[in-house]
Amino acid sequence: MSQESMKLAAGIDIGTECVKAVVVGDDGRVRGRAVAPTRGYFQTCAHEALASACEDAQTDPAALAGIGTTGFAMECVANASVRVGDSSCHALGAFQQVAEPMTLVDIGGRDPHVIWVDDLGRRTDARGIRRCALGVGSFLMFTARHLDVPPSRLQELAAAAERAVPVSSYCSVFSAGEVLERLREGATREEIALGCIQSIAERIVEIGGFRDPLYVCGGVVDYFPGVLTALQSLAGVPVRVVPDPIYTAAVGAALMSLRQGEVS
Amino acid sequence: MTTFGSTAALRATMDAYFRDVGAAAEQHLAPVAWCTSVGPAELLRALGFRVFFPENHAAMMGAARTANRYMPLAHAHGYSQEICSYLTSDIGAYLAGESPMQAYGLSGTPRADVLVFNTNQCRDVRDWFEWYGRRWNVPVVGMRSPRAIETVRDDDVDAIARQIEALVPALEAVAGTRLDAGRLEHAVRASRECSDLWEACLRTAARRPAPLNFFDATIHMGPAVVLRGADEAVTYYRTLLAELEGRAAARSAAVEGEAFRLYWDGMPIWGRLRALSSLFAEFRTAVVASTYCNSWIFSALDPADPVRSMARSSLELFIVRSEEAKEDYIARMLDLYHADGIVFHDCRTCPNNTNTRYGMPRRLGERLGIPTLVLDGDVNDLRCVSDEQMRTNVEGFIEQIADARPAAGSAAS
Ligand code: SF4
């Protein structure tokens, strides 16, 4: 099928840390993608990410058959053709990529979820983390800032640690306080980096219900791959990553938009 | 929330009740007893007490979103953030010298001559009442109940009946009168009638579409809570039932375009009643039944055997039952009300009315093959509520139910 005859839709996942946009063809393939940090007005970030994704896909935004939005600020895109909650989008987006029913762990800027996905890409159940452990992505950003490394280097620091110092609070704000206390007590940056990463994995494992195959998606595994390593050691089943994990919900939103086009 | 014609009668009934209790306390027209929500209200009425229910008082502060102003005052008195936020709201308001009763012309919370608890629901009610007992130097008496009951046995009923009988001399001394068997029988009869009518009102929501939902019912249950055993409650529920039956016959829906039906387990989140009602309505979802509103159905009450039947009602209550008995009850309710799923409220400061912490949502989900959702929140303490998390969770849950329906469209807006 030529690009001209193909229907294209965009998906935008407007999260608390980043806005992710994709352009997806009606064959399900991702044609363009872009990430913009969340800052200032959500509308502006969404517009910026969408424009970049369209440029990456070499398509004109006016040629899109629809725009699906999801995530924290999904209401902020005025011209969206469909708005869908993020767990359903994660489920469909991940299913599109891996084509099998799964247990899916979404670790984004806010609250991690374990989502059970059936053989049609539908969410059949979902469980969240306890309330005080919200904001794990934001917590890791905080940690990286205090350890004076770019977020993606937190993993390198952690890999060099001989041991993890415990960062054990349930609450992200308390944990942030613990990071400062451990630094004051003389713990190394490496030990703290590993401790933080492990604490996130522990909170997620507590949600429970993991069954094989287990996949992970969301921005945290892109930015902080150490969380994946820690999860692999704790989960009790093999842990795989959905390709392009930061875009999973955006892909789901784009597919929802294409589907809606089929119905109407 | 649904607008009912009966609301005017509800307001008048509650208004008259608050003014009556207030006048009794402030002008010493009658003795005043404080009673926990499932305490021996019928006995107190039969002895001529005006009965005040502090849980209702605390819920009013929750609904008005003033509770969070008061809780810190109780915390500063050594009452933890982790215990019942009804207790801390109520004691905090007292310390602040404020009360929702002031809207009814009272100077504050009506002062008790005696406080009567029943620990079948929790220990907090007793600690709550003892705070006031020490403050006012008045007696605190009550029933100490077994908990986690599988099947209500006769020996348990006997034990509680003996405890109720043992309360009588102390209560007679405060009331300055002797218990009259005829008055007790009348109060139990009125209580049972109120219970039957309230049950019938709730039961109208088994129809499709439901003419009222959980959020409406939490408002209209006021008389069943505070006027149990009094004729005024019976009069009110006759009015409400007639309206609900009319609405059901006319297929007038509480939730426009009702597409999904849910069961609510756990306490209401009083400060978010309207917000949650709108949120569910946005997804064409009616919360058609709840453990909470059903807890004021006391079908065991029998005027021919007042004390034992009060004891039995106290032990049959959902909150005092074992996990298995609770699960069977919820399963029956789901069937009766044709619910598509269950929302469990994990109420941070009320473990007693929270059924999420020992695996029940997963067990019930697996046993019945229905989806369950756990919402973190609190009855009064809005510091424990995240609106954003609640919205995300509700939205995803209803999308899941919609997606599981073969021919139904998506719940996406
Ligand atoms: S049952 Fe819960 S909300 Fe009610 S008084 Fe006891 S602790 Fe408070």
Side-chain angles (χ1 to χ4, degrees):
Chain A
M1 199 189 302
S2 73
Q3 179 98 359
E4 284 69 46
S5 59
M6 177 173 304
K7 236 162 81 181
L8 297 173
I12 314 176
D13 173 10
I14 309 167
T16 50
E17 289 292 335
C18 303
V19 177
K20 289 75 69 177
V22 292
V23 173
V24 174
D26 55 11
D27 59 354
R29 276 190 48 211
V30 178
R31 308 278 157 170
R33 46 178 79 68
V35 181
T38 303
R39 44 159 172 61
Y41 293 111
F42 287 111
Q43 293 89 324
T44 318
C45 307
H47 188 262
E48 192 185 307
L50 178 62
S52 304
C54 285
E55 201 180 310
D56 190 35
Q58 298 178 359
T59 190
D60 181 352
L64 294 170
I67 300 175
T69 62
T70 187
F72 177 76
M74 66 178 172
E75 315 294 341
C76 293
V77 177
N79 58 339
S81 51
V82 63
R83 298 186 177 94
V84 186
D86 39 14
S87 56
S88 303
C89 288
H90 276 116
L92 186 58
F95 184 76
Q96 170 64 30
Q97 308 273 26
V98 306
E100 61 177 336
M102 74 197 97
T103 307
L104 178 65
V105 183
D106 149 44
I107 321 172
R110 275 183 302 161
D111 42 339
H113 275 92
V114 177
I115 304 162
W116 288 271
V117 184
D118 72 7
D119 55 1
L120 294 171
R122 300 176 304 189
R123 158 194 158 143
T124 57
D125 199 1
R127 309 265 174 212
I129 205 158
R130 57 179 287 163
R131 180 167 174 259
C132 291
L134 300 190
V136 297
S138 306
F139 162 62
L140 288 174
M141 290 294 203
F142 167 94
T143 306
R145 202 163 57 243
H146 274 275
L147 300 184
D148 201 19
V149 286
S152 53
R153 281 209 49 228
L154 203 62
Q155 162 68 11
E156 280 172 45
L157 270 188
E162 295 203 343
R163 63 179 192 113
V165 296
V167 177
S168 53
S169 173
Y170 284 131
C171 160
S172 314
V173 176
F174 283 4
S175 298
E178 272 184 288
V179 167
L180 301 181
E181 284 167 29
R182 298 294 92 85
L183 273 173
R184 187 183 59 194
E185 288 160 9
T188 66
R189 291 154 74 219
E190 289 77 6
E191 289 166 344
I192 292 174
L194 186 58
C196 289
I197 280 170
Q198 282 189 356
S199 85
I200 303 287
E202 282 162 11
R203 297 289 83 77
I204 292 168
V205 168
E206 281 165 8
I207 302 174
F210 291 176
R211 284 191 297 268
D212 193 24
L214 176 71
Y215 285 89
V216 183
C217 68
V220 165
V221 280
D222 247 0
Y223 280 87
F224 306 102
V227 172
L228 183 67
T229 317
L231 206 55
Q232 275 160 338
S233 72
L234 295 171
V237 290
V239 184
R240 285 166 260 193
V241 180
V242 175
D244 265 352
I246 195 170
Y247 294 105
T248 309
V251 171
L255 294 171
M256 294 276 186
S257 166
L258 284 166
R259 276 189 181 177
Q260 194 201 36
E262 283 162 23
V263 184
S264 59
Chain B
M1 318 254 310
T2 320
T3 311
F4 290 98
S6 308
T7 303
L10 173 72
R11 288 216 182 99
T13 306
M14 296 301 280
D15 189 279
Y17 160 75
F18 290 132
R19 288 180 195 280
D20 181 51
V21 179
E26 295 189 357
Q27 297 162 40
H28 306 290
L29 301 177
V32 175
W34 281 27
C35 184
T36 53
S37 59
V38 281
E42 298 82 3
L43 176 63
L44 297 171
R45 283 197 202 288
L47 281 161
F49 283 100
R50 294 298 184 274
V51 191
F52 183 71
F53 294 86
E55 288 149 84
N56 168 255
H57 186 239
M60 289 168 81
M61 292 182 251
R65 291 188 290 279
T66 54
N68 277 96
R69 284 217 303 264
Y70 305 131
M71 284 173 216
L73 298 172
H75 301 328
H77 269 242
Y79 284 75
S80 158
Q81 284 97 335
E82 306 297 329
I83 64 166
C84 173
S85 59
Y86 269 180
L87 181 164
T88 49
S89 319
D90 177 76
I91 290 180
Y94 181 82
L95 292 168
E98 294 177 13
S99 161
M101 296 298 106
Q102 286 159 338
Y104 297 90
L106 280 71
S107 62
T109 317
R111 193 188 152 107
D113 298 301
V114 64
L115 300 107
V116 188
F117 62 80
N118 185 349
T119 59
N120 62 350
Q121 59 186 98
C122 63
R123 67 162 278 178
D124 297 61
V125 283
R126 180 176 185 168
D127 290 273
W128 184 352
F129 282 15
E130 284 175 344
W131 188 88
Y132 283 101
R134 286 190 290 273
R135 189 104 186 167
W136 291 332
N137 195 25
V138 293
V140 181
V141 295
M143 296 142 71
R144 294 167 309 281
S145 178
R147 305 286 306 273
I149 301 165
E150 302 85 20
T151 308
V152 178
R153 293 191 324 243
D154 284 344
D155 56 338
D156 285 333
V157 176
D158 290 341
I160 295 295
R162 278 199 299 278
Q163 287 192 39
I164 296 174
E165 282 159 4
L167 292 175
V168 173
L171 294 173
E172 285 179 338
V174 179
T177 185
R178 297 299 302 273
L179 178 64
D180 176 88
R183 288 183 75 183
L184 181 59
E185 189 186 315
H186 178 86
V188 171
R189 178 172 290 109
S191 201
R192 172 65 192 272
E193 214 178 325
C194 167
S195 158
D196 289 350
L197 284 162
W198 175 235
E199 182 177 18
C201 289
L202 293 175
R203 196 60 67 79
T204 60
R207 312 263 274 275
R208 285 180 198 269
L212 93 162
N213 67 21
F214 164 61
F215 305 102
D216 304 319
T218 58
I219 304 298
H220 287 269
M221 68 191 280
V225 175
V226 300
L227 285 163
R228 179 156 57 86
D231 297 332
E232 294 88 327
V234 173
T235 308
Y236 175 66
Y237 288 114
R238 286 206 180 106
T239 308
L240 180 64
L241 182 58
E243 179 175 4
L244 289 171
E245 281 177 343
R247 282 173 173 258
R251 299 183 54 77
S252 166
V255 170
E256 196 73 45
E258 176 191 299
F260 309 102
R261 297 164 66 89
L262 298 177
Y263 182 86
W264 179 283
D265 181 77
M267 295 297 287
I269 304 172
W270 287 111
R272 289 291 181 270
L273 276 191
R274 186 167 292 278
L276 277 169
S277 172
S278 307
L279 176 61
F280 282 104
E282 203 182 303
F283 295 102
R284 296 183 294 139
T285 300
V287 181
V288 288
S290 67
T291 311
Y292 182 72
C293 292
N294 286 357
S295 293
W296 276 264
I297 298 170
F298 302 104
S299 306
L301 285 176
D302 177 2
D305 191 4
V307 172
R308 273 185 63 81
S309 72
M310 282 167 64
R312 182 170 285 283
S313 307
S314 159
L315 295 169
E316 280 184 353
L317 201 69
F318 181 92
I319 196 170
V320 77
R321 307 302 299 278
S322 67
E323 292 285 283
E324 202 182 329
K326 286 179 177 177
E327 287 168 26
D328 289 347
Y329 178 86
I330 293 178
R332 283 201 305 280
M333 290 303 120
L334 289 179
D335 198 37
L336 193 62
Y337 285 90
H338 319 291
D340 302 306
I342 313 174
V343 177
F344 285 93
H345 172 202
D346 187 316
C347 177
R348 179 62 175 259
T349 68
C350 178
N352 316 287
N353 251 320
T354 294
N355 292 302
T356 58
R357 300 185 187 175
Y358 298 87
M360 189 188 291
R362 290 192 197 185
R363 278 198 302 277
L364 266 180
E366 278 160 23
R367 168 176 160 188
L368 304 172
I370 48 129
T372 63
L373 173 71
V374 177
L375 287 182
D376 283 333
D378 192 63
V379 61
N380 264 18
D381 191 345
L382 295 178
R383 294 170 294 190
C384 304
V385 175
S386 160
D387 292 319
E388 171 54 25
Q389 192 192 18
M390 213 141 65
R391 165 169 271 281
T392 311
N393 286 337
V394 166
E395 183 178 78
F397 186 59
I398 296 166
E399 282 168 8
Q400 174 187 331
I401 295 173
D403 281 349
R405 284 200 184 156
S410 159
S413 55

